Amino acid sequence: MPQLTPDLESKLQAAADFVDKWCETVDPGRRKFGADLDCTEAKTISHLFEVFGFTNSAHQLLEEHEEHCPGPETHSEGGQS
């Protein structure tokens, strides 16, 4: 594992802060954020949520995306396109 530099440590803290705040404050009943994301964005943010232990938020985001995805991709279990 690479040594944590101050820059990397700062980036990790920012990611943790974002995930914590999103998962604590976003009301999925009010707006379906996954519907506004493209496939890569949805998968990337979902993965971020999963690695920080917010699996429900990760799955919900992917479900929202898959439900509203305008692209020709097919989505299978796990959010793969």
Side-chain angles (χ1 to χ4, degrees):
M1 179 169 194
Q3 186 174 13
L4 287 180
T5 63
D7 182 55
L8 183 56
E9 197 170 318
S10 176
K11 289 176 182 178
L12 287 172
Q13 186 60 55
D17 292 345
F18 168 79
V19 169
D20 288 340
K21 189 53 66 182
W22 178 292
C23 293
E24 289 174 6
T25 62
V26 169
D27 178 6
R30 192 182 73 210
R31 180 166 181 222
K32 299 205 176 289
F33 287 94
D36 296 331
L37 302 172
D38 69 24
C39 295
T40 301
E41 292 166 340
K43 287 189 275 185
T44 300
I45 293 173
S46 175
H47 179 68
L48 185 62
F49 290 167
E50 281 193 36
V51 299
F52 279 95
F54 291 97
T55 55
N56 288 340
S57 293
H59 294 297
Q60 182 177 18
L61 188 75
L62 285 178
E63 287 174 6
E64 291 169 359
H65 167 73
E66 292 170 5
E67 182 180 330
H68 297 89
C69 182
E73 304 87 0
T74 56
H75 296 89
S76 61
E77 185 64 30
Q80 301 299 312
S81 314

